[in-house]
Amino acid sequence: MVNKMNIDFTEVEKKFELEVRAFFQNELPSEVKLAIESGMRLTKQQRVLYQQALFRKGWAGVNWPVEHGGTGWSAAQKYIFYNESANANAPRVIPFGLFMVAPVIYTFGNKEQQQRFLPDILSSKVWWCQGYSEPNAGSDLAAIKTKAVKQDNNYIVNGVKTWTTLAHLADWIFCLVRTDDSGKKQQGISFMLIDMKSPGVSVKPIITLDGLREVNEVFFEDVVVPKENLIGEEGKGWTYAKVLLTHERTNIAGVALSKQRLTQLYQMLNQPSSGLTDLTQNSVFMAKVLLTEVELKALEYTELRVLSAVSTGKAPGPESSILKIKGTEIQQKLDELYLEMAGIYALPYVPEQYDDEGIEPTGPFFAANTAPHYYNNRKVTIFGGTNEIQKNIIAKQVLGL
Amino acid sequence: MDFALNDIQQMLQDSAAKFIQSDYGFEKRQHFVGSELGFNPKNWSLFADLGWLALPFSESYGGLEGSIIDLMVLQTELGKGLITEPYFANVILAGNVIQRHGSEEQKMDLLGSLIAGELKLALAAQETASLSELTNISTKAEKQRSSYQLNGFKPVVLGAVSANKIIVLARTSGEFGNSEGLSLLLVNPDQQGVSLNKYVTNDGNQAADITFKDVCIPFSEVVGIADTAFEAVRKVYNDAIVAISAEAVGVMEKLLSATVEYCKVRKQFDQPIGNFQVLQHRMADMFMECEQAKSMLYYAAIAVDSDDNADKAVSLLKIKIGAAGTAVGQSAVQLHGGMGVSDELDVGHYFKRISMINVLFGSYDDHLNQLVKQYQT
């Protein structure tokens, strides 16, 4: 039999799919399920509850190698896992520990650092946040000024990080810091882990367009960081950070989640809640929905092409570079469609209803969150390297311009 | 899950790429575009020798049992060469419809000669400007004692100029607009009552408008079983959308690479224009459109191959190809500046082809409108 281009799962993969489905059906903590179903915002404690259920099942380290307690899953298995997770409306795993700092630690950290940090990340016991951006280092990330100066067995860190997601809930922060400013700006950057409880660390909220606190400024004032907290070599932080970014494009694309949101959108269109207009009769709206479906279907196959290449041992091809741009564009398009579907019921701003099940929203259940979500999600084309920066990367690295 | 090409597909891709690179320069192409036949007849024999004419047909008729995915691989490479040989019209339209609907005897006879490169065919089906109503066939064949009498008109029939036989979709029974009652008839272009108005198309191919006036068609020239041809034609059109989209992907990849190369060497303001970010981002957009179009092509090819929701898949594909083709084609011309609109350079000709692909087999608007309507019944 000649092998043929296909998207079929093997028998083993089909069995795995059922196992994952059963997990989300039976082991998603009921408290978390209830909160999601009633449109509540999840607390940190609820998120930990969920991530620890994954940990007990051995599924917390989706991308991790087996030797560090990871799943060792194939590309197809990861694809199945994310699809089932999205279909079950399970929350997204908070990425900073499990998806972002962990790969750097198990790839570039020493044995001692791996033993010290990885187990607590895997069990979601310790929460992390990411200290990259600074007030004057956004797209030009290599322009960071937060300084780490060596003093005996420590570094003394001074500076400001900004747009730090969930810093107010984090125990540790992984930072890019400047250890040398004599050469090229990329060369003097180091990758450092800092305990948020260290004297001199302070966190100040930034309120975003949805009226909520998600991001923060983090200040470092003569913070003493033991030199054991430096990952790899001094001055190599930029390289480590870049490796991390290229491996995370799939995660940011959020294809499985967008698929689920589109399916739900179609369901709601076919059975409009009372008070809503039947938008299926609005050809202009339907055309926008279908064009979003076209882009999403194409992106799903772009992602499958990447996964299939990776699973046969090849490096991701140039098509991987478009995942972030297209994935985030589609997420925002979906936000617009939901907002439009909610109509006037998008207007009432009653933030209490996210935390209190007793408050009934005006209009259909989904409508209350459409505007805040639309506002909040403008971030996705900005973070993780703006989409304009991603196009620079394509121009330089893929097209050779 | 597997997106890798198998050995046969890899061979097909390599041989087609080699043919385009070494035997099919743009100047040679332009020479034959002006000729009476419209293409190089030697290439047709070569296609037969290489087995390309046999690719999708069953082994029993001398074919290679290739799938739509194999055709996709070949079509993408041929698209890069902008070929004018009527491969698509013969193999993907006409031969395909014979294989799907012909009698054993017809398949043995017609496909055998087609595969050998001795017989050329063309399919004359569509009568409306857009594809939305393929069942709207006014061409009629009335049953007489020993034959059908064919009357009607088929516009813009691809491959008709060089065809030895035309396969005509005509109503033999039932009401206008019904899918039942349609038949395929084999017509000799030299036959009495058949007249062809031949022309070169805007993309350098050839086509003809065909008028049928009281043409006598013996019962033996009905393809397969009468009155039941529509399903086969519909399936052929799904294959056709995948195949022409594959060609479009080849055309787009060529437009992108030509544009990137041009922007690296063309200097203005004392530097290559590719240094300018506004052009870099436009080329990054072209690249993304090419990749998304290719992904969509894989999706639809697999859907058609496994007959899984194929109608919707090809509509989604044609929408994507329409959007991407327009964007990539127009950007390529724009970034080439004046050279982009000159007849001398190949880029403009790739743009012409991609623009014509958009209106063939249902445009972006047709397919989008069709899908929207499905939610409104």
Side-chain angles (χ1 to χ4, degrees):
Chain A
M1 224 342 238
V2 188
N3 66 306
K4 199 168 189 185
M5 202 176 274
N6 70 82
I7 50 154
D8 304 332
F9 293 135
T10 63
E11 285 309 310
V12 176
E13 286 162 354
K14 281 183 197 154
K15 246 179 92 181
F16 176 74
E17 188 177 36
L18 292 179
E19 190 190 353
V20 178
R21 197 168 299 162
F23 168 82
F24 283 112
Q25 238 158 43
N26 307 325
E27 288 169 65
L28 187 63
S30 54
E31 185 191 336
V32 178
K33 213 175 198 168
L34 197 73
I36 293 168
E37 280 165 7
S38 45
M40 301 292 109
R41 201 162 285 264
L42 294 185
T43 61
K44 174 179 171 180
Q45 184 255 335
Q46 286 165 333
R47 287 185 180 277
V48 170
L49 216 56
Y50 164 60
Q51 291 183 195
Q52 286 180 341
L54 283 176
F55 169 65
R56 281 194 302 275
K57 183 78 184 170
W59 291 353
V62 171
N63 294 320
W64 294 32
V66 178
E67 54 177 304
H68 294 298
T71 61
W73 281 340
S74 68
Q77 283 177 301
K78 288 178 199 170
Y79 173 78
I80 290 167
F81 177 78
Y82 285 123
N83 267 328
E84 291 302 321
S85 164
N87 291 346
N89 273 321
R92 256 187 133 167
V93 168
I94 298 295
F96 307 107
L98 285 163
F99 289 92
M100 297 171 90
V101 72
V104 174
I105 295 174
Y106 61 65
T107 313
F108 303 107
N110 58 37
K111 264 261 133 57
E112 197 269 325
Q113 289 167 330
Q114 291 172 353
Q115 283 162 0
R116 180 176 166 206
F117 292 108
L118 292 178
D120 287 345
I121 295 174
L122 201 62
S123 65
S124 290
K125 196 172 148 197
V126 168
W127 272 49
W128 288 78
C129 61
Q130 178 193 46
Y132 277 18
S133 294
E134 294 182 9
N136 289 308
S139 286
D140 186 9
L141 187 61
I144 55 155
K145 289 204 174 68
T146 295
K147 238 186 184 154
V149 180
K150 217 177 209 165
Q151 203 175 76
D152 306 322
N153 284 332
N154 298 311
Y155 288 96
I156 308 299
V157 177
N158 279 286
V160 191
K161 293 289 175 183
T162 192
W163 312 122
T164 317
T165 304
L166 302 185
H168 56 298
L169 302 177
D171 307 300
W172 280 74
I173 183 168
F174 59 96
C175 285
L176 292 181
V177 295
R178 184 158 300 287
T179 41
D180 180 9
D181 49 18
S182 60
K184 249 184 95 181
K185 61 185 177 180
Q186 285 84 357
Q187 282 163 0
I189 294 173
S190 300
F191 196 99
M192 197 171 273
L193 313 178
I194 302 175
D195 188 339
M196 292 291 280
K197 288 184 294 295
S198 315
V201 177
S202 57
V203 179
K204 200 178 128 198
I206 300 173
I207 304 302
T208 43
L209 293 180
D210 51 0
L212 295 169
R213 177 187 192 178
E214 188 175 67
V215 289
N216 303 272
E217 281 182 290
V218 182
F219 299 87
F220 300 89
E221 238 174 300
D222 294 328
V223 177
V224 180
V225 180
K227 73 175 190 337
E228 293 81 33
N229 293 9
L230 181 86
I231 295 289
E233 283 175 55
E234 207 178 82
K236 289 272 174 70
W238 185 253
T239 317
Y240 305 155
K242 271 205 324 207
V243 169
L244 166 79
L245 274 176
T246 44
H247 277 89
E248 286 319 305
R249 281 170 178 159
T250 322
N251 190 41
I252 294 178
V255 170
L257 212 64
S258 289
K259 268 167 62 184
Q260 170 63 6
R261 288 183 75 202
L262 184 67
T263 305
Q264 272 175 357
L265 184 81
Y266 274 122
Q267 279 165 2
M268 291 160 106
L269 283 169
N270 286 327
Q271 293 165 317
S273 321
S274 64
L276 285 191
T277 314
D278 178 6
L279 281 170
T280 57
Q281 301 308 308
N282 181 336
S283 302
V284 179
F285 182 80
M286 288 310 292
K288 285 195 285 192
V289 174
L290 279 156
L291 290 174
T292 307
E293 185 179 349
V294 167
E295 282 306 309
L296 182 56
K297 184 58 86 179
L299 191 68
E300 184 185 0
Y301 275 70
T302 301
E303 188 178 86
L304 286 169
R305 283 167 60 199
V306 174
L307 290 175
S308 148
V310 171
S311 70
T312 53
K314 288 186 213 136
E319 64 273 13
S320 69
S321 58
I322 78 175
L323 291 174
K324 197 263 169 175
I325 299 179
K326 283 289 164 190
T328 53
E329 282 177 3
I330 290 165
Q331 289 167 34
Q332 293 183 339
K333 190 49 83 181
L334 284 163
D335 295 333
E336 286 175 45
L337 294 170
Y338 271 97
L339 182 66
E340 198 174 332
M341 185 162 65
I344 56 168
Y345 296 116
L347 266 82
Y349 176 62
V350 191
E352 298 77 29
Q353 70 199 16
Y354 300 130
D355 309 313
D356 184 349
E357 290 171 48
I359 299 177
E360 281 283 319
T362 321
F365 151 73
F366 80 92
N369 199 28
T370 52
H373 198 272
Y374 168 73
Y375 296 143
N376 178 287
N377 234 17
R378 299 314 296 174
K379 72 189 174 192
V380 296
T381 47
I382 299 166
F383 69 25
T386 65
N387 285 16
E388 288 70 25
I389 288 290
Q390 302 296 332
K391 287 185 187 178
N392 288 353
I393 293 173
I394 291 176
K396 288 196 172 60
Q397 293 181 3
V398 181
L399 303 178
L401 290 160
Chain B
M1 190 204 303
D2 189 357
F3 288 87
L5 300 186
N6 64 33
D7 293 347
I8 295 167
Q9 289 160 353
Q10 195 62 58
M11 257 167 54
L12 205 54
Q13 188 180 52
D14 293 345
S15 70
K18 192 170 155 272
F19 165 72
I20 295 299
Q21 262 167 19
S22 44
D23 304 329
Y24 211 88
F26 175 64
E27 274 166 36
K28 272 192 209 164
R29 174 202 190 257
Q30 291 310 84
H31 171 74
F32 284 104
V33 164
S35 73
E36 198 192 330
L37 192 59
F39 62 89
N40 183 352
K42 279 188 193 152
N43 284 338
W44 199 253
S45 318
L46 184 66
F47 287 9
D49 293 345
L50 288 167
W52 294 353
L53 300 181
L55 189 56
F57 303 117
S58 159
E59 227 167 349
S60 359
Y61 318 115
L64 294 175
E65 304 265 352
S67 67
I68 185 71
I69 296 168
D70 302 331
L71 281 173
M72 171 187 91
V73 171
L74 180 60
Q75 278 283 108
T76 300
E77 291 311 312
L78 296 181
K80 291 178 191 168
L82 214 57
I83 69 156
T84 59
E85 283 69 16
Y87 182 77
F88 179 84
N90 273 276
V91 174
I92 291 149
L93 294 178
N96 193 358
V97 88
I98 294 294
Q99 165 143 294
R100 285 182 184 278
H101 199 64
S103 66
E104 274 309 301
E105 207 185 324
Q106 286 166 333
K107 287 193 247 190
M108 200 63 93
D109 173 30
L110 297 171
L111 294 182
S113 316
L114 176 72
I115 288 167
E118 293 154 3
L119 175 80
K120 288 199 199 65
L121 299 168
L123 173 65
Q126 186 177 342
E127 294 182 8
T128 47
S130 74
L131 192 65
S132 44
E133 294 298 340
L134 184 57
T135 51
N136 284 359
I137 300 296
S138 303
T139 298
K140 259 195 176 150
E142 267 175 86
K143 208 169 183 174
Q144 317 266 335
R145 192 170 306 154
S146 62
S147 64
Y148 281 102
Q149 194 177 47
L150 179 67
N151 279 287
F153 177 72
K154 295 285 179 182
V156 200
V157 178
L158 304 175
V161 174
S162 54
N164 312 100
K165 273 187 200 304
I166 316 271
I167 308 162
V168 180
L169 183 67
R171 181 156 299 285
T172 40
S173 69
E175 296 291 310
F176 178 81
N178 274 3
S179 57
E180 275 158 44
L182 294 170
S183 304
L184 291 166
L185 309 172
L186 286 163
V187 182
N188 187 333
D190 304 326
Q191 214 171 323
Q192 196 174 4
V194 180
S195 57
L196 274 74
N197 172 30
K198 303 175 182 180
Y199 43 80
V200 179
T201 57
N202 267 306
D203 51 15
N205 288 290
Q206 292 204 345
D209 300 339
I210 312 178
T211 310
F212 306 98
K213 186 149 178 22
D214 297 334
V215 182
C216 174
I217 311 287
F219 291 149
S220 63
E221 297 303 286
V222 175
V223 177
I225 297 165
D227 298 330
T228 61
F230 184 71
E231 191 54 24
V233 175
R234 208 179 54 83
K235 288 209 157 137
V236 165
Y237 269 53
N238 281 353
D239 289 344
I241 290 175
V242 172
I244 208 165
S245 298
E247 183 192 341
V249 166
V251 171
M252 280 189 257
E253 285 180 356
K254 176 78 188 184
L255 282 165
L256 172 65
S257 62
T259 305
V260 170
E261 286 319 304
Y262 182 77
C263 289
K264 280 178 185 170
V265 295
R266 167 71 178 166
K267 284 188 176 162
Q268 288 286 274
F269 307 102
D270 304 318
Q271 55 188 312
I273 58 173
N275 284 358
F276 299 118
Q277 196 177 40
V278 70
L279 301 192
Q280 289 182 352
H281 281 200
R282 192 141 180 190
M283 284 182 270
D285 288 339
M286 288 170 75
F287 167 74
M288 288 194 290
E289 286 301 296
C290 284
E291 290 299 327
Q292 287 284 83
K294 191 174 183 178
S295 295
M296 207 63 175
L297 175 64
Y298 285 3
Y299 155 67
I302 292 170
V304 168
D305 187 52
S306 54
D307 202 9
D308 176 15
N309 220 351
D311 293 349
K312 181 166 184 189
V314 298
S315 281
L316 294 175
L317 170 63
K318 200 62 176 39
I319 292 168
K320 182 67 234 176
I321 293 293
T326 305
V328 170
Q330 292 178 353
S331 292
V333 170
Q334 178 71 18
L335 268 59
H336 275 83
M339 291 308 290
V341 291
S342 79
D343 185 63
E344 169 198 338
L345 199 70
D346 59 356
V347 163
H349 296 267
Y350 284 91
F351 168 64
K352 285 185 178 184
R353 178 62 184 152
I354 198 85
S355 308
M356 293 301 103
I357 287 176
N358 191 24
V359 294
L360 282 166
F361 303 99
S363 66
Y364 170 98
D365 289 354
D366 290 331
H367 285 280
L368 187 53
N369 189 37
Q370 257 176 45
L371 292 179
V372 167
K373 275 186 186 161
Q374 284 172 12
Y375 290 93
Q376 297 179 333
T377 46

